[in-house]
Amino acid sequence: MGRILAIDYGTKRTGLAVTDEMQIIASGLTTVDTKQLLEYLKKYVSIENVEKIVVGLPKQMDNTASESEVYIQKFLKLLLKEIPQIPVDRVDERFTSKMAFQTMIDSGLKKKQRKNKALVDEISATLILQSYLSSVQ
């Protein structure tokens, strides 16, 4: 089995999370400047055995696509062109940022640490990945 890599795509920063090779545990990987995301992913998949990529699907409360979906679609076209060998799935990412922030509070992070948007993005990617793992088990 290979790892599953999750992406919480943002126009400035993108949070990444990954499973272990047994696809049991979802862990935050890092946050990458979105301008360098494709290069980072190409390097990562050349080093690690990645079986699947999961990308967050932002939706409004009425189930319509969020405004950021336009940017994600452009990214997905590039991703499929640059890394065609790895299949991509989408996962509803509603509330992941709020859940990530609550997770930071619950884990006892100080207010200054909770303002770290990169950490919120990484935790959001982890929540997206955990949601995906729960849905396929």
Side-chain angles (χ1 to χ4, degrees):
M1 292 177 90
R3 298 178 187 279
I4 300 173
L5 177 71
I7 299 174
D8 179 32
Y9 186 87
T11 55
K12 294 179 184 176
R13 289 172 318 279
T14 297
L16 301 174
V18 69
T19 64
D20 58 300
E21 293 226 343
M22 297 298 295
Q23 299 178 2
I24 297 170
I25 299 168
S27 303
L29 179 61
T30 190
T31 302
V32 177
D33 183 321
T34 300
K35 291 175 186 163
Q36 280 117 34
L37 179 59
L38 272 175
E39 288 306 313
Y40 181 92
L41 292 173
K42 287 194 292 188
K43 184 176 179 182
Y44 187 82
V45 301
S46 72
I47 297 168
E48 295 290 343
N49 178 20
V50 177
E51 182 178 301
K52 184 172 287 189
I53 297 173
V54 176
V55 180
L57 176 60
K59 292 184 178 183
Q60 304 287 354
M61 290 304 296
D62 65 359
N63 222 24
T64 60
S66 171
E67 302 116 28
S68 58
E69 181 63 14
V70 173
Y71 302 106
I72 295 170
Q73 285 299 319
K74 288 178 186 176
F75 164 72
L76 288 173
K77 286 180 185 172
L78 291 172
L79 178 65
L80 293 172
K81 181 181 173 191
E82 296 290 329
I83 310 174
Q85 71 277 18
I86 300 177
V88 175
D89 274 347
R90 302 294 303 276
V91 173
D92 187 342
E93 68 169 48
R94 280 181 282 197
F95 308 115
T96 54
S97 292
K98 289 180 183 173
M99 290 167 52
F101 191 73
Q102 188 60 49
T103 299
M104 294 169 79
I105 291 170
D106 294 346
S107 66
L109 290 179
K110 303 275 186 253
K111 195 171 193 176
K112 186 175 181 180
Q113 293 169 306
R114 293 193 306 256
K115 289 182 181 179
N116 180 350
K117 293 190 186 310
L119 183 56
V120 173
D121 294 337
E122 185 178 323
I123 294 170
S124 293
T126 307
L127 293 169
I128 289 167
L129 185 52
Q130 191 60 54
S131 173
Y132 176 79
L133 290 174
S134 298
S135 72
V136 296
Q137 290 178 346

